[in-house]
Amino acid sequence: MTENREIESLFRQYYRPLCLYAFRFIKDTVAVEDVVQEAFVKCLEKRNSPDWPKSPKQYLFRIVHNSCVDFVKANSPLIRTDVAGISEYFPDENIVDKSVLMSQLWSAIDKMPEKRRQVFLMSKRDSLSYARIGELLGISENTVHNHLTKAMKSLKGVLAIMLLFIFNQIC
């Protein structure tokens, strides 16, 4: 039973980061979800094996990586030269960490109240001005500003971790 809980815990912790990682190679969300789910099935099958990996996280990312390579090979015969570059590329810890951080960021955004999330995405993702957001949502520019201020405060912890990660990458 504890093995099932371990797999469930891994699923809760890494499903979204694995999907974000796979999406770098496969731009089809249905295929990405299939690849990631299959990785967890393989993990489940291997859980009683004596060669259970010391790092299930790395193991899962490696399975997803290999499955992405296989998917690209099978579904993109016109870009076979690109597959060679992908297959040599191993998911290093930085890319894994980035996927985990992006997952945390999107989870925090998903937890925002609906209107705040709308305003935040329209501003940051769509690069709309306060005036345009206010016009589209029927609210004042001041209300747009207030929503963005609250959104940034709620993301402060995740953004601080991301900045630290970026700083460590460039130093």
Side-chain angles (χ1 to χ4, degrees), residues 75-121:
N75 295 293
S76 303
L78 298 177
I79 57 168
R80 291 228 185 248
T81 55
D82 292 343
V83 173
I86 292 173
S87 60
E88 290 174 6
Y89 173 79
F90 182 77
D92 69 15
E93 197 62 33
N94 292 333
I95 292 178
V96 170
D97 290 344
K98 182 180 177 187
S99 296
V100 171
L101 286 171
M102 290 303 295
S103 171
Q104 290 172 349
L105 177 64
W106 280 107
S107 291
I109 292 169
D110 289 344
K111 290 177 185 172
M112 290 180 188
E114 179 63 28
K115 186 69 82 174
R116 187 178 304 160
R117 182 175 54 249
Q118 267 185 310
V119 169
F120 177 79
L121 292 174

Side-chain angles (χ1 to χ4, degrees), residues 114-131:
E114 179 63 28
K115 186 69 82 174
R116 187 178 304 160
R117 182 175 54 249
Q118 267 185 310
V119 169
F120 177 79
L121 292 174
M122 291 171 88
S123 173
K124 303 304 179 191
R125 181 192 60 200
D126 304 334
S127 301
L128 298 179
S129 68
Y130 286 17

Side-chain angles (χ1 to χ4, degrees), residues 141-153:
E141 286 184 49
N142 193 42
T143 303
V144 170
H145 174 76
N146 290 339
H147 278 299
L148 283 173
T149 300
K150 290 177 182 177
M152 294 305 286
K153 282 182 183 177

Side-chain angles (χ1 to χ4, degrees), residues 6-7 9-11 13-14 18 39-40 42-44 46-47 51-64 96:
E6 182 180 2
I7 297 294
S9 175
L10 287 170
F11 183 84
Q13 189 172 6
Y14 295 114
L18 286 166
F40 281 101
K42 288 179 183 177
C43 204
L44 240 160
K46 194 170 186 123
R47 75 175 187 262
D51 58 334
W52 175 250
K54 291 179 184 173
S55 173
K57 172 182 156 184
Q58 282 298 115
Y59 178 70
L60 282 165
F61 274 90
R62 185 62 176 169
I63 291 171
V64 168
V96 170

